Amino acid sequence: LATRSSSSAMKIKAYELRTKTKADLLKQLEELKNELAQLRVAKVTGGATSKLAKIKVVRKSIARVLTVYNQTQKAKLREAMSGQKFLPKDLRQKKTRAMRRALTPEERAVKTLKETKKAQNFPVRKYAVLA
């Protein structure tokens, strides 16, 4: 039992995965997928209960590896595209639909000709209030 590899012995932590390179992540993913295949074979052939319970842990570990891999890929792509005029939609900030469609501060500050004339000709009155 003590001779098992660290990946199969316990749950993988996401913060540990973030320090690994792309090649390491893909290698670990392949190992986990192979292990899952072996566990599924054991399930069909009537393996031990401990192996059946391990299927869930391995599946979640695969999900963690894929999540970290995809997040790092997207972060690198964002970094590479940072200088560009337009970003692909999947790299833009999500926010909310209303926030994405709202006017920008520059657009909000623009005044019509009528508004500017009115502001110029009828300035806000200043009243001197006696104490």
Side-chain angles (χ1 to χ4, degrees):
L1 225 130
T3 57
R4 283 189 186 163
S5 65
S6 63
S7 68
S8 62
M10 56 191 241
K11 199 164 68 169
I12 296 167
K13 302 273 190 287
Y15 70 88
E16 291 168 356
L17 291 172
R18 290 186 199 286
T19 59
K20 295 189 176 187
T21 62
K22 179 181 171 181
D24 289 341
L25 285 173
L26 291 172
K27 184 176 172 233
Q28 188 159 18
L29 183 65
E30 199 59 41
E31 287 171 7
L32 286 166
K33 283 186 176 180
N34 289 336
E35 188 179 351
L36 184 61
Q38 290 168 358
L39 289 171
R40 285 191 173 142
V41 168
K43 181 183 174 185
V44 171
T45 56
T49 333
S50 60
K51 281 193 173 184
L52 298 181
K54 213 165 145 209
I55 290 177
K56 182 180 177 183
V57 175
V58 174
R59 283 180 62 233
K60 301 293 178 191
S61 296
I62 289 172
R64 270 188 205 92
V65 171
L66 283 170
T67 300
V68 169
Y69 178 75
N70 289 331
Q71 283 176 346
T72 51
Q73 291 291 93
K74 202 161 248 193
K76 284 177 185 172
L77 199 56
R78 253 194 204 103
E79 210 173 278
M81 298 286 290
S82 62
Q84 255 64 21
K85 186 176 180 183
F86 297 109
L87 273 178
K89 285 193 174 172
D90 62 331
L91 297 182
R92 294 178 194 172
Q93 285 186 321
K94 182 92 168 85
K95 297 191 177 180
T96 62
R97 191 167 189 266
M99 285 174 82
R100 289 193 304 266
R101 279 153 181 72
L103 293 174
T104 62
E106 295 83 36
E107 290 169 338
R108 221 177 289 130
V110 173
K111 286 190 172 155
T112 63
L113 185 64
K114 189 173 183 176
E115 278 180 310
T116 50
K117 282 183 180 176
K118 186 178 173 184
Q120 193 177 11
N121 294 327
F122 302 100
V124 178
R125 293 181 179 178
K126 297 179 187 84
Y127 293 101
V129 181
L130 295 171

